[in-house]
Amino acid sequence: MSGTRDRAPAAGAMPTRTAAALGAVMTVGAGLGLRAVAQGDAAKYGGDALYTVLLLTLVVAAAPRVSPLRAAGVALGASWAVEFFQLTGVPAELSRRSAVARLVLGSTFNAPDLFWYAVGATAGWLVHTGLRRGFRARSPVNPRPR
């Protein structure tokens, strides 16, 4: 395509999908660690924020060229959709039958969760933006010959 550029990866640079997958694993680890050391609101709302960060990493893994803003928006929208889905009672029923459903869908609508999902989306957006800028600053840009 004319007008596009190939980017040579910086020495030691990790492909975006691999970095996103690693970020997802680290986010799950952070969530499990948070549950191990915290309780009450800190664990609950920290977990809400990390849930959205996890969704953001999965969005980036699926679509590595997605912009940080779009990735954060998709993750936030999905988090909010799951929270509002809890108003139907379906997630509560599924959660009674499956630990996986309980982890993914939750069971009970809680309005403050919406705010903490936004906190997670903002944190994920900041990290994604910083990583992209850092990678671009270290990556040589080689325009294609015309």
Side-chain angles (χ1 to χ4, degrees):
M1 287 184 231
S2 98
T4 61
R5 297 181 216 181
D6 291 334
R7 292 175 195 251
M14 188 179 312
T16 302
R17 277 196 171 104
T18 303
L22 181 60
V25 170
M26 290 171 55
T27 302
V28 169
L32 293 173
L34 180 64
R35 288 285 182 168
V37 300
Q39 47 191 323
D41 287 348
K44 179 180 180 358
Y45 296 126
D48 288 344
L50 288 170
Y51 179 86
T52 303
V53 171
L54 175 61
L55 292 180
L56 186 145
T57 64
L58 296 175
V59 168
V60 175
R65 292 178 175 247
V66 67
S67 73
L69 185 60
R70 185 168 301 228
V74 169
L76 179 59
S79 297
W80 282 354
V82 168
E83 191 67 28
F84 283 112
F85 184 47
Q86 292 170 353
L87 291 170
T88 69
V90 173
E93 181 59 33
L94 293 172
S95 292
R96 281 191 279 280
R97 299 178 191 187
S98 166
V100 172
R102 188 171 46 257
L103 290 171
V104 174
L105 300 175
S107 61
T108 311
F109 178 81
N110 184 32
D113 291 351
L114 300 171
F115 169 77
W116 292 101
Y117 295 140
V119 169
T122 301
W125 170 76
L126 287 169
V127 170
H128 189 192
T129 299
L131 289 173
R132 283 183 91 183
R133 286 186 179 153
F135 177 75
R136 283 188 185 141
R138 290 187 309 267
S139 295
V141 177
N142 301 319
R144 286 186 182 196
R146 294 182 188 214

